[in-house]
Amino acid sequence: GAASKGDYRHYMLKEIFEQPTVIEAALEGRLSAKSVLVESFGPDALALFKRTRQVHIIACGTSYHAGLVARYWLERYAGVPVQVEVASEYRYRHPVVPEGTLFVTLSQSGETADTLAALRFAKTLDYIGSLAICNVPGSSLVRESDITLMTRAGPEIGVASTKAFTTQLVALMLLTLSVSKAKDQAEYPDIIAALHTLPEVCQRVLALDSQIEILSQAFAEKHHALFLGRGAHYPIALEGALKLKEISYIHAEAYPAGELKHGPLALVDSEMPVISVAPNDDLLEKLKSNLQEVRARGGQLFVFADESVGIDAQEDIRVLTLPHVHEALAPLLYTLPLQLLSYHVAVLKGTDVDQPRNLAKSVTVE
Ligand code: AGP
């Protein structure tokens, strides 16, 4: 059943490998061959999205990272300005809500105390409406929001969120496409075609598992790691660092690669593993020069790269090549090897992968 480990050693590994299936479920009935079905968000969504002039996204932890990716997407593909904030900060500020602002919460559980409190607080402000993107039907967040979209990831038992995150990203791409369509803007048939092939491409990335397991050996004795990304892959670097911290207890930090020179480069020496995601996008050349800065300080580079980017493995650079995917969907795809990397490091370290110390699956108290 959905809540048993089957042949997997841990729930987390099972949930990582379920991603092609649950991503397909998250897309089911929500896209035609060339167009997104805006009514997937409910009968009131079209009118609400037409009126949407900006978006405020509120969440915690991994769900917050999904929100950060959505900012890049909504701004680039729907032309809508976005603010993203962690719920525990938002709820204690005095947010200014411009006219036509949609309030969006993201949550696996739908019961995270700060996110729920943020929604209740937002209802006292001048938003045009609230949307919850959530994995648990009937949760408090779902019951209390104006419109909802379920992520359909199925029960997630591992404390470290994996399939809940990638299905949130699918939902957020559907939101991006829906807002654009509702406003009579572009419909992006190229992204829609890429979404249809995404489960299969994810499957090909998961097939790299044994190579990632080999890479993980380089981390087991480390105390620190640095994750780099640019653009929509900066939040993916944040998510990679959070996974490593949570389950392997290795101190990990993520930076937008362009910030290296502004401080973190001082941390880089031959003991520091630096993990970077290098999809083939318009920031590739900039990223490559950031990686040279790391090499020049003797840092050990681990690069997850698009098959077409031409970064070759060398003594001080280990490269894992990923299949090509539409650049809009690359953040989703590049999440998978980072999940597997943390998983294998944690197993090597012998930690309690599914139930890391000090953490609860859902944080229902402040
Ligand atoms: C992720 O690996 C975490 N354990 C945690 O950050 C989680 O994403 C956060 O607590 C939010 O939970 P939610 O999505 O259920 O609201």
Side-chain angles (χ1 to χ4, degrees):
S4 95
K5 274 188 281 198
D7 292 333
Y8 290 98
R9 181 162 168 198
H10 296 99
Y11 282 109
M12 182 185 179
L13 190 63
K14 173 180 180 257
E15 289 161 2
I16 290 173
F17 275 87
E18 278 173 351
Q19 287 174 114
T21 310
V22 294
I23 286 170
E24 198 167 337
L27 291 168
E28 177 73 40
R30 293 169 171 175
L31 287 173
S32 68
K34 293 217 163 73
S35 191
V36 68
L37 305 176
V38 180
E39 57 279 23
S40 309
F41 290 84
D44 302 330
L46 183 66
L48 200 55
F49 294 162
K50 270 187 194 301
R51 289 168 59 211
T52 298
R53 290 166 60 180
Q54 48 258 308
V55 176
H56 286 178
I57 301 178
I58 301 301
C60 300
T62 287
S63 296
Y64 166 68
H65 295 156
L68 291 176
V69 174
R71 168 162 62 192
Y72 290 89
W73 285 346
L74 280 160
E75 297 201 344
R76 171 158 181 190
Y77 299 111
V80 174
V82 178
Q83 283 187 35
V84 191
E85 195 170 7
V86 291
S88 56
E89 285 300 315
Y90 172 84
R91 61 180 290 204
Y92 294 114
R93 287 200 295 119
H94 297 270
V96 175
V97 183
E99 213 183 301
T101 306
L102 177 67
F103 185 79
V104 178
T105 54
L106 308 174
S107 176
Q108 189 286 129
S109 62
E111 303 295 346
T112 299
D114 282 319
T115 308
L116 197 53
L119 170 64
R120 290 173 181 159
F121 172 50
K123 286 186 172 181
T124 69
L125 306 173
D126 280 334
Y127 287 99
I128 55 171
S130 56
L131 161 66
I133 291 177
C134 188
N135 194 40
V136 180
S139 60
S140 306
L141 206 63
V142 168
R143 280 186 277 112
E144 296 183 29
S145 298
D146 297 329
I147 63 171
T148 58
L149 189 78
M150 291 303 126
T151 46
R152 301 178 180 164
E156 192 182 63
I157 310 295
V159 165
S161 188
T162 53
K163 62 178 182 169
F165 177 71
T166 45
T167 53
Q168 278 172 347
L169 291 182
V170 168
L172 287 161
M173 183 48 91
L174 294 174
L175 175 65
T176 302
L177 297 169
S178 295
V179 171
S180 181
K181 185 177 172 184
K183 295 168 90 61
D184 299 316
Q185 299 168 179
E187 293 198 29
Y188 300 104
D190 54 327
I191 297 180
I192 290 167
L195 278 169
H196 284 294
T197 65
L198 189 60
E200 186 265 321
V201 184
C202 287
Q203 201 77 63
R204 280 157 58 203
V205 172
L206 294 174
L208 301 171
D209 183 42
S210 53
Q211 292 180 50
I212 297 168
E213 186 175 359
I214 294 168
L215 279 188
S216 72
Q217 293 163 1
F219 291 81
E221 304 295 317
K222 297 290 179 191
H223 298 287
H224 306 277
L226 199 55
F227 286 74
L228 301 177
R230 296 193 72 120
H233 292 85
Y234 165 50
I236 300 311
L238 285 168
E239 175 58 11
L242 177 61
K243 288 288 91 91
L244 194 67
K245 280 183 267 208
E246 275 189 298
I247 60 170
S248 78
Y249 314 148
I250 293 175
H251 167 226
E253 281 198 73
Y255 269 91
E259 275 289 293
L260 263 182
K261 281 195 184 80
H262 301 283
L265 202 51
L267 291 169
V268 175
D269 61 14
S270 59
E271 291 301 298
M272 179 66 92
V274 179
I275 301 100
S276 170
V277 287
N280 196 1
D281 60 20
D282 45 16
L283 289 169
L284 179 66
E285 288 312 313
K286 301 225 179 276
L287 181 70
K288 280 183 174 172
S289 76
N290 298 142
L291 298 185
Q292 285 309 327
E293 293 164 4
V294 170
R295 279 187 82 192
R297 274 89 193 166
Q300 297 177 285
L301 275 172
F302 298 82
V303 184
F304 295 93
D306 186 282
E307 54 197 10
S308 66
V309 304
I311 297 180
D312 297 323
Q314 297 171 36
E315 206 185 321
D316 52 353
I317 309 189
R318 297 176 68 180
V319 180
L320 195 98
T321 306
L322 267 62
H324 181 69
V325 67
H326 190 293
E327 77 163 283
L329 302 183
L332 209 153
L333 199 70
Y334 281 73
T335 301
L336 275 47
L338 301 185
Q339 295 169 342
L340 285 168
L341 182 70
S342 326
Y343 172 76
H344 290 298
V345 175
V347 169
L348 281 174
K349 294 199 69 178
T351 60
D352 190 346
V353 172
D354 286 330
Q355 184 49 78
R357 67 187 184 198
N358 311 340
L359 299 176
K361 179 64 185 161
S362 105
V363 184
T364 53
V365 290
E366 198 178 341

